[in-house]
DNA sequence: CCTAACAAGACATTTTTTATCCTTTTAGGG
DNA sequence: CCCTAAAAGGATAAAAAATGTCTTGTTAGG
């Protein structure tokens, strides 16, 4: 239960590798994929998602590649995970009202809320700087 | 990410219903399924898993049905969830050594360990008595 | 205009989830 | 001894999600 998917795992490996590079060093997707041992085409999809929300910046054409979108100490593991896996949802009912008709008086509901908070807190407390060994 | 499956959700609903019954009241599967709004055949599979590990006791034939295997205050939500969903595994590497070749020096590994502990702590701190409103 | 590199979308395969059905076993009652 | 009630166990099937791949388009440099 609660298992991170490959996609999430690959995403973390890839962006941590980026965070460990010298500032302004542009990395090729192929280089990152080889370094962290992830299928290049799959990693491409992941980095496209990162790019859309600004977690990484990308440059096309000759001399192109990827850069971290912000300094590593300003990117949390929570952001990275949620970027590719979506929000941390231990159970449907924590999404919002109306997802489960029983939520009004459900005794289990608050437990999932707590689980969600705890997980978010752990992941939010870790930055790419921590992970890259800045 | 980290979403409980229907099976887990159904399992909780079913056993919480049992926990809310008077002591020694035997419940039919059909009754439980109707009360908590779960497909009866699916709930049957779930209760078979419960039965195997003693979370519930079952009796066959006329007058048969299900009873809680222990008093509600001695059954934690963690046990219930793990009974049907398996152990709480935020990432492969928390299972044990050898699951990931990188785990020796991986900076992310300890984070998943912490997530696992936090989730387990929350779920272990809640009993069926709490949930059934004993 | 040729090549390098990422972007985007369609497609394919495998695994997991979410069940349902059928047969077997156990137990009680007439 | 049979009939019915009820759970146990196993096989099967449809739907959804995960895990990639492929093809084509876009952008940029030389
Ligand atoms: S925990 Fe309660 S509110 Fe949440 S999905 Fe289950 S029944 Fe609904
Ligand atoms: S977090 Fe580290 S040890 Fe765990 S699976 Fe990922 S690379 Fe391996």
């Amino acid at each position: 239960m609660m298992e991170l998917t490959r996609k999430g795992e690959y995403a973390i490996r890839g962006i941590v590798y980026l965070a460990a590079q010298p500032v302004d060093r542009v990395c090729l997707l192929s280089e990152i994929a080889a370094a962290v041992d992830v299928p290049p085409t799959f990693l491409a999809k992941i980095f496209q998602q990162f790019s859309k929300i600004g977690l990484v910046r990308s440059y096309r054409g000759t001399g192109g590649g990827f850069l971290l979108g912000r300094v590593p100490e300003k990117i949390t593991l929570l952001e990275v995970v949620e970027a590719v896996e979506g929000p941390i949802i231990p159970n449907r009912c924590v999404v919002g009202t109306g997802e489960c008709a029983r939520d009004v008086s459900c005794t289990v509901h608050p437990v999932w809320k707590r689980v969600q908070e705890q997980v978010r807190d752990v992941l939010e407390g870790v930055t790419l700087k921590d992970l890259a060994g800045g």
Side-chain angles (χ1 to χ4, degrees), chain A:
Chain A
M1 186 214 174
M2 318 215 106
E3 201 156 341
L4 192 73
T5 64
R6 297 286 167 116
K7 189 178 178 185
E9 166 70 18
Y10 294 165
I12 296 168
R13 282 198 219 163
I15 203 166
V16 166
Y17 177 85
L18 254 196
Q21 300 308 307
V23 182
D24 285 342
R25 161 133 202 271
V26 178
C27 293
L28 291 184
L29 185 75
S30 55
E31 175 200 334
I32 306 170
V36 300
D37 193 30
V38 169
T41 59
F42 201 177
L43 194 64
K45 291 300 177 192
I46 293 166
F47 270 61
Q48 280 168 31
Q49 289 189 260
F50 283 159
S51 186
K52 275 187 200 164
I53 61 173
L55 276 189
V56 306
R57 275 174 299 158
S58 68
Y59 298 97
R60 304 210 242 196
T62 315
F66 292 92
L67 274 172
L68 219 52
R70 307 200 291 276
V71 287
E73 48 266 57
K74 296 277 186 184
I75 299 179
T76 68
L77 187 55
L78 180 65
E79 285 180 275
V80 173
V81 169
E82 292 201 326
V84 296
E85 300 263 18
I88 308 289
I89 305 289
N91 202 348
R92 294 151 183 50
C93 55
V94 304
V95 174
T97 326
E99 291 293 322
C100 175
R102 300 164 164 267
D103 63 359
V104 206
S105 64
C106 178
T107 53
V108 195
H109 181 67
V111 179
W112 296 122
K113 277 285 186 191
R114 270 199 67 199
V115 168
Q116 183 185 42
E117 276 166 36
Q118 297 288 312
V119 173
R120 286 181 55 96
D121 282 353
V122 171
L123 298 184
E124 198 159 28
V126 179
T127 71
L128 290 192
K129 186 181 180 188
D130 304 327
L131 296 176

